[in-house]
Amino acid sequence: LNDLCLRLYNNHKIAIDLIIAAKPATKHYYQNMALKVVKALDEEWDYKCTNSYCAIFKKSWVDKLSTTTGFSIVHYEFNHLANNNLRILIHIESQNDQETYDRLREEIKKTDLGNIKNIKIGEPRSLYSKLVKRNIDPEDIDNVIEIGAKDMVMLINKTSNYFDTAVDAASKLE
C-alpha cells in the first residue's frame, strides 16, 4: 500500500498538493466547538486542538495525574472532521504512563459510570463513541458545530463527576 501511495503521489504530485492545500483545516472548527463547550461549563475546563482532533478536559485532571502532554489522560474528544464526519468520544490514553493509566482504569471501574447507556468500561481507549453527523455538507458546518457542542456538553454533564471521583482516587495512590 505504501508503494502504491508513493507511486500515485510521484505521478500526480501537483494535483495532490493542490487538493491538500485547498482542503480547509479542521482545527478552526474544533476550536469553535471547544470554545462553545468550555463557555457552557466553567473556567475549570480547557481544551487542546489539532487538525485531527480536539481534547476537552478539566484542568485539575491534568494536575492530579501529573501528565506532561498538556492534556488529561481522560478527556472528551471531537474527531473525524477531516473525513466529513463528526464523532464525540470519551477517551483514556496511557500517554507513556501505563501505571497511572492502569490506576485510573481501576478507579473508573469502581464508579457507577458503567450504568450509563452506551458507556463501555471495558474498552481500552474509547469508553464512549457517538457519530454526531456523517457526510457533512460544508454549507452546514455551523449547524454541525452547534449540535456537536450541545451533545458534548450533555455528555460531560452526565459523566464528568464519575471521572472526578476516579481521578481523585487514582491521584491519591501515586
Side-chain angles (χ1 to χ4, degrees), residues 109-134:
K109 289 176 186 174
K110 294 176 186 177
T111 71
D112 289 330
L113 181 66
N115 295 334
I116 296 176
K117 184 179 177 185
N118 298 323
I119 298 288
K120 295 173 178 68
I121 294 292
E123 291 295 314
R125 287 190 63 201
S126 295
L127 301 181
Y128 175 88
S129 179
K130 175 186 176 187
L131 183 63
V132 175
K133 180 76 173 161
R134 182 185 308 271

Side-chain angles (χ1 to χ4, degrees), residues 88-104:
I88 60 174
L89 303 101
I90 300 174
H91 235 194
I92 300 181
E93 297 185 45
S94 66
Q95 297 179 359
N96 299 321
D97 185 351
Q98 192 65 41
E99 185 180 323
T100 301
Y101 170 86
D102 291 341
R103 261 194 338 269
L104 180 61

Side-chain angles (χ1 to χ4, degrees), residues 67-78:
T67 64
T68 58
T69 59
F71 68 99
S72 179
I73 287 175
V74 60
H75 58 270
Y76 299 86
E77 186 172 304
F78 292 112

Side-chain angles (χ1 to χ4, degrees), residues 24-32 49-54 81:
T26 55
K27 184 176 183 178
H28 171 75
Y29 299 126
Y30 287 135
Q31 286 174 326
N32 285 346
C49 296
T50 71
N51 274 329
S52 301
Y53 69 91
C54 183
L81 271 180

